[in-house]
Amino acid sequence: MYKYLKTNRYFAAVLDNLEQVAAEELDELGAAEINTKYRGVSFTASKETLYKIVYCSKIPTRILAPIITFDCHSTKYLYKTAKSIKWDDFLPLNKTFAIFSSVSNSLITHSQYASLCLKDAIADYFRDKYGERPNVKPKTPDVWFNLYINDNKATISLELTGGSLHRRGYRKNSLEAPIMENLAAGIIRISKWNGETNLYDPFCGSGTILAEALLKVCDIPSCYNRENLGIFYMPDFNRNTFDYVRKCSLESIKPLPNNLISGSDIDKRAIQIAKENLKLIPHGDKVKLAVTDFSKIKSIENSTIITNPPYGKRLGEKNEVSRLITSFGDFLKNNCKGSKAFVYFGNRELIKKVGLKTSMKMPLKNGGLDGRLTCYEIY
Ligand SMILES: C[S@@+](CC[C@H](N)C(=O)[O-])C[C@H]1O[C@@H](n2cnc3c(N)ncnc32)[C@H](O)[C@@H]1O
């Protein structure tokens, strides 16, 4: 029997330092026996709750159902054990697959080679049984498998989200340096914004923070725009239960009050892209957008500001960005009375240019960037 069927225990992989807010979100969605780990949260769930978590949760990067865990000291043993799994329980011959591996502190040291061994085991299982095999599609397969080896213990899992959950499907386009969707969702939860104050992003770019705020406050499932989910490939997948969960989730989408979420950006193309992206989300047309230099905004008072200003690596020159951040600090001080500002810096060197005392500072990575989330309370 597959491991998750015995235990009903699953693993949500999350970005560094989002473990706590991810655990909170999973708890709200009905998960039980929640254990926070490094870059992940382990939990148990009934079938219905699991489907709800996969369809609705916004913070995890991926959610895994462990198929098997075993001691693993060599790639030969990895291949042999993996080949004994009934892969046709998970993967139809006509579907494509890919493997995501990570390896640490073990005799097997190369994750790519470990992936290759697992891929060979899957392909050989099918060839022996059917004389043909499903194809590998590295970036956008139908089915993702996950291989995790730590301390010479291997776990092979089915990925239930069908690829990283940060790809919501609404961001068809972006300009430079967009923030990852699940990082934006994590920041919104850290800010504790719940729709009681207006939310404004004055450097909104392609609109990711606005879109995630909309998903949060209107209870829109993160997989609203996703066609293919990994749960469809679980051997015990129940279509009726999933359809019921989806129907209930869609029926509980709330309306968006006027003027609750707004954003602006100096770049006309960014606003056009944000508009197009937001159109793909229910009530997205009610998010207010404008082409504006932040310094021309009259005031943002008694609001929650959540934003990700330019950081000077890919976007413009360093000195120019330093000056921009200093003038943004002045703007916060003079024009944003009664507001709380959560500012995500792709480059932490810029924090000292703000000239305001932070009430919180937290490391958070955005892709390869070692960024910082800061909070300023303006009286
Ligand atoms: C790091 S990007 C924001 C990316 C955004 N979070 C997203 O996910 O697409 C910074 C944005 O600040 C905008 N920007 C630069 N200078 C500005 C200014 N003076 N006023 C308003 N926006 C500005 C840029 O056009 C860019 O879209």
Side-chain angles (χ1 to χ4, degrees), residues 34-268:
I34 298 172
N35 283 325
T36 311
K37 316 228 163 175
Y38 172 61
R39 288 202 195 159
V41 182
S42 137
F43 62 95
T44 58
S46 66
K47 200 172 276 191
E48 192 176 320
T49 303
L50 177 73
Y51 293 175
K52 182 153 190 220
I53 288 171
V54 168
Y55 191 57
C56 296
S57 67
K58 299 169 177 72
I59 298 175
T61 309
R62 36 179 77 84
I63 295 171
L64 306 173
I67 298 171
I68 186 172
T69 295
F70 54 101
D71 288 329
C72 181
H73 294 85
S74 70
T75 46
K76 225 172 159 177
Y77 191 70
L78 169 64
Y79 172 87
K80 192 171 153 235
T81 310
K83 203 172 162 220
S84 71
I85 294 169
K86 274 188 86 218
W87 288 103
D88 42 357
D89 275 354
F90 300 93
L91 179 62
L93 252 178
N94 62 348
K95 296 287 178 185
T96 56
F97 74 103
I99 291 158
F100 182 89
S101 290
S102 70
V103 167
S104 55
N105 210 16
S106 297
L107 288 168
I108 297 178
T109 49
H110 291 288
S111 61
Q112 273 186 351
Y113 188 57
S115 287
L116 197 66
C117 291
L118 178 53
K119 186 214 85 186
D120 284 348
I122 297 173
D124 291 350
Y125 169 87
F126 278 98
R127 251 198 230 104
D128 288 356
K129 193 161 173 185
Y130 300 99
E132 52 181 323
R133 46 158 286 195
N135 286 326
V136 171
K137 195 172 177 197
K139 288 210 171 107
T140 51
D142 298 306
V143 187
W144 277 99
F145 295 108
N146 187 287
L147 171 63
Y148 173 71
I149 308 178
N150 180 37
D151 283 339
N152 297 308
K153 224 179 192 43
T155 299
I156 299 173
S157 304
L158 173 70
E159 210 178 78
L160 302 181
T161 39
S164 174
L165 253 188
H166 83 270
R167 294 199 190 89
R168 308 275 200 235
Y170 66 70
R171 193 157 73 192
K172 295 291 177 206
N173 246 318
S174 67
L175 289 170
E176 281 176 275
I179 193 166
M180 278 164 71
E181 291 85 335
N182 50 345
L183 175 60
I187 291 174
I188 289 167
R189 192 170 266 269
I190 292 167
S191 79
K192 298 201 161 43
W193 179 75
N194 55 10
E196 280 173 8
T197 55
N198 289 343
L199 182 144
Y200 198 104
D201 178 357
F203 299 97
C204 74
S206 58
T208 318
I209 291 172
L210 305 175
E212 291 302 320
L214 173 62
L215 296 190
K216 163 99 175 43
V217 77
C218 294
D219 257 337
I220 300 166
S222 55
C223 289
Y224 181 84
N225 287 300
R226 259 188 190 225
E227 295 287 321
N228 187 45
L229 295 174
I231 46 173
F232 302 162
Y233 301 94
M234 296 173 95
D236 58 323
F237 175 63
N238 185 318
R239 171 59 66 181
N240 288 341
T241 307
F242 177 70
D243 286 347
Y244 173 74
V245 166
R246 178 157 55 187
K247 182 172 161 281
C248 294
S249 308
L250 296 178
E251 280 172 2
S252 53
I253 293 179
K254 300 187 187 103
L256 178 69
N258 285 335
N259 301 325
L260 188 67
I261 304 177
S262 328
S264 50
D265 196 287
I266 198 169
D267 187 338
K268 202 163 90 191

